[in-house]
Amino acid sequence: MSAGVHTVAVIGAGKIGELMLSGLLRSGWPVDRLLATARRPARAEELAARYGVRVVDNLTAVDEAEVLAVSVKPQDAAALLDEIGPKVPPGKLLISLCAGLPSSFFSRRLPEGTPVVRVMTNTPALVDQAMTAISAGAYATGEHLALAEEMFKPLGATIRVPETQQDAVTALSGSGPAYFYLLVEAMTDAGILLGLPRQVAHDLIVQTAIGSAVMLRDSGEHPVKLREAVTSPAGTTISAIRELENHGVRAALLAALEAARDRARELATQAE
Ligand SMILES: NC(=O)c1ccc[n+]([C@@H]2O[C@H](COP(=O)([O-])OP(=O)(O)OC[C@H]3O[C@@H](n4cnc5c(N)ncnc54)[C@H](OP(=O)(O)O)[C@@H]3O)[C@@H](O)[C@H]2O)c1
C-alpha cells in the first residue's frame, strides 16, 4: 500500500476527521482519492463545499475506500461498527483515531483478518504541527504502519509506540494542547494583574511559548538546562519558581495526566 494511490474514507468527519481531510489535501493527496461520511446532512454539505470531497453514506465508504479512518467519538464507535463491521470486505485497513479504544474493540467487530492501526493525533494538525502516535493492532503489518505514517506525516511529527502506551499518549499529547492553552490563559491573566494591557500580555506570552517550544525542539538541550539558563542566583525567576513549587504545579501535572489516562481507560469500558 502506498500514499495517494489508495482511497481513504474519513468516517465521522467531525473536528479531528476534518483536520485529517484538510491535511491530506494540503499534502497533495488527490481529492478523488478521498471520501468522507457525516451523520447530519448539513455537516455533509459543509464538508463537500469546503473541500470538494465526495461525502457518501458509511456503507458506500466501506465498499469504495481501501483505508477506513474512523474518527467518531468513542461513545459512537459501537453503533458505527454495528452498522459497518459485518460489511467490511476483506483487504481493507481500518485506522482508528478514537481516544481510549483499543484496536481489539474494532477487531472483535470486523471480519477475521482485517488489519487495524490505532492512532492518536492532536489539534495542532491544523497548522501541520501535530504529534501523531501510531500503533499496530491485529493483522497490521509494517506496510500498514508505513501507510499510516505517510498519511499523518504531512500533519506534523509521527512516532510509533506499542499499543499498551496509547492511553498515556492520549493523556500527554492528545490532550496536551489544552494544558498549554490553559497555561497561556493563566499567564495572560497574571500579566493583567501586573498592569499590562490584555493584548500586550497575550502577545508577550504567546511569542514566549513559541520561542521556548522551538528551543526545546531545536537546541538539543535538556529542559532543566534551558530553565537554569533563565534562573540566576537570587534573581526574579527563582522567586517565581519557588511559588510554582509551593503551589504544587509539578504534582498537579502528575495527577492531571494520571486522571486523563484513567479517563481514556474509562471511555473504552463505556464504549463496549
Ligand atoms: N478533539 C481532539 O482534540 C482529539 C484529539 C485526539 C483524538 N480525538 C479523537 O477523535 C475522535 C473524534 O473527536 P472530535 O473531537 O473530532 O469529535 P466530533 O467533532 O464530534 O466528530 C465526530 C463526528 O462523527 C460523526 N458521527 C458520529 N456517529 C456517526 C456515524 N454513525 N456515522 C457517520 N458520522 C458519525 C459526528 O456527527 P454529528 O456532528 O452529527 O454528531 C461528528 O461529526 C474521538 O474519538 C476523539 O477521541 C480528538
Side-chain angles (χ1 to χ4, degrees):
M1 286 195 163
S2 62
V5 300
H6 292 273
T7 301
V8 176
V10 178
I11 301 190
K15 287 186 283 295
I16 284 289
E18 181 171 350
L19 289 183
M20 201 182 152
L21 273 179
S22 73
L24 285 172
L25 285 168
R26 280 199 305 281
S27 75
W29 199 281
V31 70
D32 61 354
R33 294 284 178 193
L34 290 173
L35 295 172
T37 81
R39 200 157 44 179
R40 287 166 300 120
R43 177 66 179 157
E45 280 166 28
E46 192 176 61
L47 290 166
R50 199 171 289 164
Y51 300 103
V53 290
R54 201 149 63 86
V55 185
V56 295
D57 60 64
N58 289 332
L59 291 180
T60 306
V62 160
D63 203 43
E64 290 190 17
E66 284 91 15
V67 181
L68 312 172
V70 173
S71 58
V72 298
K73 291 262 195 239
Q75 56 270 30
D76 291 328
L80 173 72
L81 267 288
D82 285 348
E83 182 195 351
I84 65 167
K87 307 270 170 49
V88 173
K92 309 276 168 160
L93 167 65
L94 186 139
I95 299 183
S96 163
L97 289 93
C98 301
L101 301 187
S103 61
S104 59
F105 173 94
F106 296 94
S107 294
R108 275 203 303 284
R109 293 165 169 88
L110 289 165
E112 182 72 29
T114 307
V116 178
V117 167
R118 180 173 166 187
V119 154
M120 175 51 58
T121 189
N122 62 12
T123 55
L126 194 59
V127 290
D128 297 341
Q129 293 294 337
M131 182 68 244
T132 304
I134 297 171
S135 306
Y139 305 110
T141 63
E143 229 183 314
H144 296 123
L145 290 176
L147 174 62
E149 266 166 4
E150 273 191 79
M151 287 168 54
F152 284 92
K153 273 226 162 85
L155 302 183
T158 64
I159 186 174
R160 290 188 191 187
V161 298
E163 195 182 349
T164 49
Q165 294 177 3
Q166 277 285 12
D167 287 338
V169 167
T170 303
L172 206 61
S173 56
S175 303
Y179 315 146
F180 287 109
Y181 299 142
L182 185 133
L183 270 181
V184 166
E185 192 195 327
M187 287 166 87
T188 304
D189 273 350
I192 289 164
L193 181 72
L194 303 184
L196 296 173
R198 177 168 291 278
Q199 192 61 48
V200 173
H202 174 87
D203 292 350
L204 288 172
I205 203 59
V206 168
Q207 180 53 30
T208 303
I210 293 169
S212 309
V214 172
M215 280 186 77
L216 277 167
R217 189 190 58 192
D218 295 349
S219 71
E221 289 286 6
H222 192 280
V224 168
K225 271 239 173 266
L226 295 174
R227 183 173 64 73
E228 279 173 359
V230 199
T231 314
S232 39
T236 56
T237 309
I238 194 65
S239 299
I241 285 173
R242 182 180 58 185
E243 286 306 311
L244 290 171
E245 299 291 5
N246 277 344
H247 288 85
V249 167
R250 201 180 284 266
L253 284 170
L254 294 176
L257 269 78
E258 215 169 27
R261 190 272 320 269
D262 292 349
R263 181 62 187 143
R265 288 179 179 167
E266 239 171 58
L267 285 174
T269 317
Q270 287 167 3
E272 283 297 342

